[in-house]
């Protein structure tokens, strides 16, 4: 006998391993017609039977969203292999069975290779193979593809199935009242019209219409436009109804129920966990509460609030230490270095710039620790699970949640890996919408900006403010995603399997490693990129400096002030160190001179390259409440968001020359006229939404495959940021928040 066997399964389930074990050197590698997906074929002989083996591309599903899925599906339907061998990773059974269920629904003659039993055993998972085989109605053969164990049994089973006369009935999964009703109605239309039934089972065709499968629908339209229209109408009706009642698309319900089927299967004793206390079972019990429709969101907000409270409360003391340290360092340098450009570079450019960013290391560390705790325990997966439903409404889905969280959804991530994380999204439109909105999350670089402004203006409500900032960025990101998905990246949403891994008790070691890795990244960035940009911005804020004529004006003023008092007072002041008691006249003189110095420094900063740019922008930025110094900082922030803090540090350091007046940057901001809680809030909003940093833009270009999306995100985000900041500032001013 000769027959063809297709090896199908999820990526990394062991298909290629098994293929190599079966065919040895007798392989041929080509391509599937018209696409670049590799097609591997080979031969296996046993007891006089010759079996052609084809290694299909790995897929998680049989929808038509990716090339691999279309290739695998077309091969199975058009070439009709005698048997499909579904390779299932036993250590990840439930997820792998999602594809199995779809094979079964198509009614293929099938054998399951239950692979990686060794891994499953190590993880404490016992699988009742016989029960699984009975419940699914197909042979299940344990294999270890890496060693070739079980391959003969597998091929024997395949030969047996290929020789069988009777056809196996397609599996029928119940999809709930609404969809089941529609399916019956549609099946009848399909069967009476013999609509594509030569190729696919009737129920399956109906399901594909409900899932909005473009490939099947266009085939149907070609075959019989009238029947296709009828099916589309039913689909539209059901979809509208589900939208209204459950706020969900049919394909999402279909995915839910397939998973529900697998869950039920597993619970019927197919899977047992050997651990001393049943991890999965405990997880289920916890999830009943934690992902509950009503309690879940409340718990989620509570957890976030707890995290922020913990971070701000416990980091306050060490942040204070670092601030005093950098203050001390600045003073020490200023007394030991001669006045001049170099001193200005070291103090204003480096210590006040980079020091401002490094000062927040303890806060960053506490935040990362808390997030590592949520991640390692498995709680973040619950957050993604709960938000999946919400996200679908906005044209995104569950994997988008993870991309958001990686980008700093809880605070302190990074949009660069966040944009890369969107690769798990198969549908190109949802992926694009996700990667364009992920940079709105609060990455680790924005955190010091918020921390600075919160410390200066919202000291009494730190955790609350952080929660508000988080909610604003999520709501903004979702609304913008919705806007994009209903204008320039229109298209249907795609169903997705949300996994709920069991809860785990995090180890202290694991937490410490995670925390340190991320904190070290932050420190390294401050010491390299941020340092370089700070120096550049310092130069832009220092040069060209004041013209000689103006400098002479200030000198004249100083001479005049000194001439007005008697010479003894001048001598007294010149001779006095910092801590000597001065006469009233000398104190007054010192005040006058300091005021002149300060005005001179301010004039110098205004005349600098950066200063002039900042001032030029003021006519626009004043609508959002930003003065020229803030403008300089925001321009610096295009390179990296931490630079907003370091630049403000440098700007205020250059403008202020009296060491007795200077406090921490946040104290200085809170005392500067023109700054107010409202201006700070406006700046916070702007920082959340404006152009992604340079590295992220590069990543967006790479991942979207077009520089246009990079430019788009820079221009569009900045526009959104500016308009929102203006709205907040103007409305706030009207209702009297600005005082
Ligand atoms: P494919 O993506 O389905 O083609 O998967 P591969 O054949 O490339 O296998 C993925 C990985 O799993 C490889 O590192 C294999 O060595 C490993 N692997 C495959 N089968 C087994 C198995 O039964 N046990 C163990 N421990 N590892 C396996
Ligand atoms: Mg492979």
């Amino acid at each position: 006998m000769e027959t063809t066997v297709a090896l199908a399964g999820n990526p990394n389930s062991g298909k290629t391993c098994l293929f190599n074990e079966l065919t040895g050197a007798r392989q041929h590698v080509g391509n599937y017609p018209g696409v670049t997906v590799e097609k591997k074929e080979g031969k296996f002989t046993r007891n006089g039977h010759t079996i052609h083996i084809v290694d299909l591309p790995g897929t998680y599903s049989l929808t038509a969203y990716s090339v691999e899925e279309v290739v695998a599906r077309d091969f199975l339907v058009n070439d009709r292999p005698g048997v499909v061998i579904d390779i299932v990773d036993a250590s990840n059974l439930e997820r792998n069975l999602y594809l199995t269920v779809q094979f079964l629904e198509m009614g293929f003659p099938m054998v399951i290779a239950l692979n990686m039993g060794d891994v499953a055993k190590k993880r404490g998972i016992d699988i009742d193979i016989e029960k699984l085989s009975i419940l699914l109605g197909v042979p299940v053969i344990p294999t270890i593809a890496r060693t070739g164990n079980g391959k003969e049994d597998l091929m024997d089973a395949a030969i047996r199935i290929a020789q069988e006369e009777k056809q196996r009935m397609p599996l029928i999964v119940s999809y709930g009242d609404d969809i089941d009703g529609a399916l019956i109605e549609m099946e009848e239309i399909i069967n009476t019209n013999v609509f594509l039934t030569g190729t696919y089972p009737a129920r399956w065709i109906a399901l594909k219409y409900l899932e909005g499968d473009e490939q099947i629908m266009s085939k149907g339209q070609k075959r019989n436009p009238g029947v296709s229209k009828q099916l589309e109408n039913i689909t539209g009706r059901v979809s509208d109804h589900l939208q209204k009642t459950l706020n969900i698309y049919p394909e999402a319900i279909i995915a839910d129920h397939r998973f529900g089927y697998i869950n039920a299967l597993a619970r019927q004793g197919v899977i047992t966990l050997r651990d001393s206390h049943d991890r999965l079972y405990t997880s289920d019990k916890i999830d009943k509460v934690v992902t509950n429709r009503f309690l879940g969101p409340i718990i989620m907000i509570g957890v976030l609030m707890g995290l922020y409270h913990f971070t701000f409360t416990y980091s306050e003391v060490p942040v204070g230490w670092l601030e005093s340290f950098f203050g001390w360092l600045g003073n020490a340098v200023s007394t030991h270095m001669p006045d001049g450009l170099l001193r200005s570079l070291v103090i204003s450019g480096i210590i006040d710039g980079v020091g401002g960013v490094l000062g927040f290391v303890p806060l960053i560390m506490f935040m990362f620790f808390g997030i590592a705790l949520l991640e390692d325990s498995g709680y973040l997966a619950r957050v993604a699970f709960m938000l999946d439903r919400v996200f679908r409404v906005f044209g995104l889905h569950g994997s988008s949640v993870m991309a958001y969280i990686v980008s700093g959804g809880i605070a302190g991530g990074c949009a660069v890996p966040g944009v890369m994380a969107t690769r798990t999204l198969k549908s190109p439109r949802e992926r694009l919408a996700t990667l364009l909105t992920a940079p709105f999350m609060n990455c680790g670089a924005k955190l010091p900006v918020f921390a600075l402004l919160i410390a200066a203006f919202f000291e009494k409500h730190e955790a609350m403010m952080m929660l508000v900032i988080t909610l604003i960025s999520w709501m903004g990101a979702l609304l913008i995603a919705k806007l994009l998905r209903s204008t320039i990246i229109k298209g249907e949403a795609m169903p997705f399997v949300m996994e709920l891994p069991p809860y785990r008790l995090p180890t202290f070691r694991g937490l410490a490693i995670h925390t340190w890795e991320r904190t070290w990244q932050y420190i390294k960035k401050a010491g390299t990129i941020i340092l370089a940009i700070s120096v550049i911005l310092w130069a832009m804020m220092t040069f060209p400096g004041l013209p000689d004529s103006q400098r002479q004006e200030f000198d004249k003023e100083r001479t005049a002030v000194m001439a007005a008092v008697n010479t003894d007072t001048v001598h007294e002041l010149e001779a006095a160190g910092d801590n000597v008691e001065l006469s009233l006249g000398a104190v007054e003189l010192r005040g006058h001179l300091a005021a002149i110095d300060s005005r001179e420094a301010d004039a110098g900063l205004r005349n600098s390259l950066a200063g002039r740019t900042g001032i030029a922008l003021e006519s626009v930025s004043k609508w959002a409440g930003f003065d020229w110094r803030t403008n300089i900082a925001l321009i610096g922030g295009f390179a990296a968001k931490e630079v907003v803090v370091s630049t403000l540090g440098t700007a205020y350091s250059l403008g202020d020359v009296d060491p007795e007046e200077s406090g921490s940057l946040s104290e200085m901001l809170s005392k500067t006229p023109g700054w107010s809680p409202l201006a700070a809030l406006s700046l916070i909003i702007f920082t959340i939404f404006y152009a992604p940093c340079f590295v992220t833009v590069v990543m967006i270009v790479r991942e979207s495959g077009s520089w246009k999306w990079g430019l788009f995100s820079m221009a569009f985000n900045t526009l959104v940021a500016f308009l929102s900041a203006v709205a907040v500032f103007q409305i706030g001013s009207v209702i009297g928040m600005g005082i």
Side-chain angles (χ1 to χ4, degrees):
M1 187 199 74
E2 271 195 42
T3 189
T4 304
V5 166
L7 300 185
N10 285 13
N12 289 317
S13 56
K15 283 185 314 304
T16 304
C17 261
L18 186 65
F19 178 79
N20 291 339
E21 278 297 329
L22 288 170
T23 60
R26 300 157 72 191
Q27 309 191 351
H28 169 76
V29 181
N31 270 346
Y32 287 91
V35 289
T36 54
V37 178
E38 202 175 70
K39 182 182 193 182
K40 278 186 166 175
E41 293 171 283
K43 243 185 226 167
F44 178 82
T45 41
R46 183 166 172 83
N47 304 334
H49 299 292
T50 304
I51 298 164
H52 299 277
I53 301 178
V54 180
D55 185 18
L56 291 181
T59 66
Y60 292 106
S61 178
L62 275 190
T63 44
Y65 293 112
S66 69
V67 193
E68 285 80 10
E69 289 175 354
V70 173
V71 165
R73 197 167 90 176
D74 281 351
F75 180 83
L76 294 175
V77 175
N78 300 333
D79 293 46
R80 289 272 149 189
V83 183
V84 177
I85 293 185
D86 176 20
I87 306 186
V88 166
D89 173 358
S91 67
N92 223 330
L93 186 65
E94 285 164 280
R95 191 188 181 130
N96 275 246
L97 286 178
Y98 189 72
L99 181 65
T100 309
V101 167
Q102 295 178 65
F103 287 140
L104 292 171
E105 284 185 298
M106 289 185 93
F108 297 128
M110 201 161 109
V111 175
I112 290 176
L114 190 66
N115 195 36
M116 308 236 191
D118 52 332
V119 182
K121 194 163 273 168
K122 246 185 246 148
R123 292 196 192 157
I125 305 167
D126 274 333
I127 296 171
D128 186 336
I129 294 174
E130 203 176 335
K131 203 166 212 165
L132 182 63
S133 170
I134 291 169
L135 289 173
L136 292 178
V138 293
V140 177
I141 312 293
T143 59
I144 293 180
R146 196 142 71 176
T147 58
N149 253 357
K151 66 177 176 188
E152 286 86 8
D153 290 348
L154 184 66
M155 292 330 267
D156 287 343
I159 293 166
R160 207 174 66 239
I161 292 291
Q163 285 172 333
E164 236 167 41
E165 296 290 320
K166 67 172 183 11
Q167 251 199 307
R168 198 176 51 76
M169 289 302 291
L171 169 73
I172 292 180
V173 176
S174 163
Y175 292 104
D177 285 348
D178 293 323
I179 292 198
D180 282 351
L183 282 174
I184 292 168
E185 203 180 326
M186 291 162 89
E187 264 182 87
E188 204 167 301
I189 297 171
I190 291 167
N191 280 327
T192 45
N193 289 289
V194 201
F195 180 76
L196 301 174
T197 43
T199 330
Y200 313 98
R203 188 181 167 89
W204 192 84
I205 300 169
L207 269 175
K208 289 291 131 180
Y209 266 82
L210 286 170
E211 285 181 323
D213 187 301
E214 280 164 28
Q215 197 204 19
I216 296 297
M217 280 161 70
S218 80
K219 270 190 193 171
Q221 277 147 9
K222 271 186 213 127
R223 171 65 62 90
N224 188 335
V227 175
S228 183
K229 188 82 209 144
Q230 269 179 291
L231 299 177
E232 282 164 43
N233 287 343
I234 297 173
T235 302
R237 195 191 71 212
V238 176
S239 182
D240 280 349
H241 179 70
L242 288 173
Q243 279 286 308
K244 269 193 218 112
T245 51
L246 299 170
N247 207 354
I248 195 169
Y249 288 102
E251 62 261 50
I253 295 227
I254 292 171
D256 279 357
H257 282 81
R258 281 194 188 127
F259 237 178
Y261 171 84
I262 295 163
N263 224 339
L265 192 81
R267 294 292 137 76
Q268 285 182 46
V270 170
I271 301 180
T272 345
L273 295 172
R274 243 184 302 106
D275 274 3
S276 50
H277 43 264
D278 194 342
R279 269 203 343 246
L280 204 62
Y281 188 53
T282 322
S283 283
D284 280 350
K285 278 202 276 199
I286 300 175
D287 275 337
K288 276 224 169 72
V289 181
V290 168
T291 63
N292 177 285
R293 227 170 234 264
F294 302 103
L295 282 179
I298 298 173
I299 293 174
M300 187 165 72
I301 297 283
V303 166
L304 285 188
M305 198 59 194
L307 170 69
Y308 299 148
H309 187 75
F310 160 81
T311 304
F312 281 96
T313 309
Y314 291 98
S315 67
E316 200 172 310
V317 173
V319 165
W321 290 339
L322 277 183
E323 265 174 5
S324 338
F325 168 74
F326 285 113
W328 168 84
L329 192 65
N331 279 335
V333 171
S334 98
T335 45
H336 291 291
M337 264 177 95
D339 203 358
L341 267 185
L342 188 64
R343 186 171 99 169
S344 166
L345 169 66
V346 173
I347 295 180
S348 298
I350 298 175
I351 298 178
D352 286 343
V354 177
V357 176
L358 283 179
F360 288 107
V361 164
L363 185 135
I364 297 276
M365 227 164 127
F366 277 88
M367 188 72 91
F368 284 158
F369 183 83
I371 291 173
L373 190 71
L374 298 184
E375 198 173 344
D376 293 3
S377 63
Y379 183 71
L380 281 192
R382 269 71 198 173
V383 172
F385 177 82
M386 277 188 283
L387 291 177
D388 184 37
R389 250 163 224 279
V390 182
F391 267 50
R392 282 180 196 161
V393 177
F394 292 92
L396 304 171
H397 65 62
S399 331
S400 315
V401 181
M402 269 309 168
Y404 274 18
I405 291 177
V406 172
S407 302
I410 295 181
C414 177
V416 173
V419 167
M420 281 201 292
T422 61
R423 283 187 196 170
T424 54
L425 281 134
K426 284 268 178 60
S427 140
R429 300 187 197 100
E430 281 156 358
R431 176 158 185 236
L432 189 57
T434 309
L435 72 82
L436 287 175
T437 48
F440 294 137
M441 297 296 115
N442 300 316
C443 66
K446 293 182 198 174
L447 207 52
V449 185
F450 300 147
L452 172 71
L453 295 170
I454 290 176
F457 298 99
F458 306 100
E459 207 186 357
K460 293 206 182 69
H461 310 282
E462 290 180 323
M464 196 59 200
M465 261 320 276
M466 199 57 222
L467 183 68
V468 169
I469 289 173
T470 306
L471 294 180
I472 290 175
S473 56
W474 281 75
M475 279 188 309
L478 285 177
L479 287 175
I480 289 165
K482 182 74 190 171
L483 177 75
L484 295 175
R485 291 283 278 118
S486 40
T487 53
I488 48 179
I489 22 185
K490 252 193 222 155
E492 280 295 291
M494 164 185 159
F496 175 71
V497 186
M498 287 308 300
E499 277 191 334
L500 279 187
Y503 286 100
R504 282 186 197 85
L505 200 62
T507 63
F508 185 75
R509 208 181 118 79
L511 292 177
I513 292 171
H514 273 153
T515 308
W516 178 244
E517 275 172 358
R518 290 170 196 174
T519 309
W520 178 237
Q521 287 279 320
Y522 180 85
I523 297 174
K524 228 167 45 184
K525 193 172 164 200
T528 52
I529 302 172
I530 307 300
L531 176 65
I533 303 170
S534 290
V535 169
I536 293 171
L537 280 161
W538 167 83
M540 288 175 64
M541 286 188 265
T542 303
F543 298 108
L546 276 184
D548 281 343
S549 61
Q550 248 178 300
R551 200 172 303 152
Q552 280 154 15
E553 292 278 313
F554 282 110
D555 282 343
K556 254 188 242 160
E557 255 190 79
R558 266 185 282 260
T559 321
V561 170
M562 285 193 277
V565 295
N566 66 44
T567 35
D568 286 348
T569 317
V570 178
H571 287 310
E572 184 193 345
L573 187 60
E574 275 167 0
D578 264 351
N579 300 320
V580 181
E581 271 193 29
L582 294 171
S583 69
L584 218 60
V587 171
E588 203 173 314
L589 176 62
R590 188 172 64 179
H592 280 305
L593 288 175
I596 296 171
D597 286 350
S598 174
R599 270 193 292 121
E600 183 178 4
D602 192 64
L605 181 57
R606 280 169 185 271
N607 194 48
S608 69
L609 222 61
R612 280 188 238 174
T613 316
I615 290 167
L617 286 173
E618 229 178 14
S619 59
V620 183
S621 71
K622 66 168 190 243
W623 290 97
F626 306 154
D627 70 354
W628 57 281
R629 283 194 183 87
T630 308
N631 292 344
I632 302 175
L634 289 174
I635 294 170
F638 274 103
K641 295 277 155 63
E642 297 97 328
V643 175
V644 174
V645 172
S646 63
T647 309
L648 281 174
T650 305
Y652 278 89
S653 164
L654 286 174
D656 180 284
V657 288
D658 187 349
E660 293 208 343
E661 282 274 312
S662 64
S664 70
L665 181 56
S666 60
E667 274 169 47
M668 232 168 347
L669 289 184
S670 63
K671 282 189 214 142
T672 308
W675 277 94
S676 64
L678 180 60
L681 184 64
S682 168
L683 180 56
I684 286 174
I685 303 277
F686 190 83
T687 306
I688 294 174
F689 292 107
Y690 90 110
C693 71
F694 185 68
V695 190
T696 304
V697 172
V698 171
M699 194 51 81
I700 288 177
V701 171
R702 217 171 78 190
E703 294 294 312
S704 67
S706 158
W707 53 268
K708 273 186 245 159
W709 289 116
L711 289 184
F712 172 83
S713 72
M714 280 168 71
F716 177 76
N717 295 11
T718 307
L719 184 72
V720 168
F722 184 66
L723 294 180
S724 321
V726 169
V728 166
F729 190 72
Q730 294 302 330
I731 294 171
S733 301
V734 168
I735 62 174
M737 258 179 71
I739 314 117

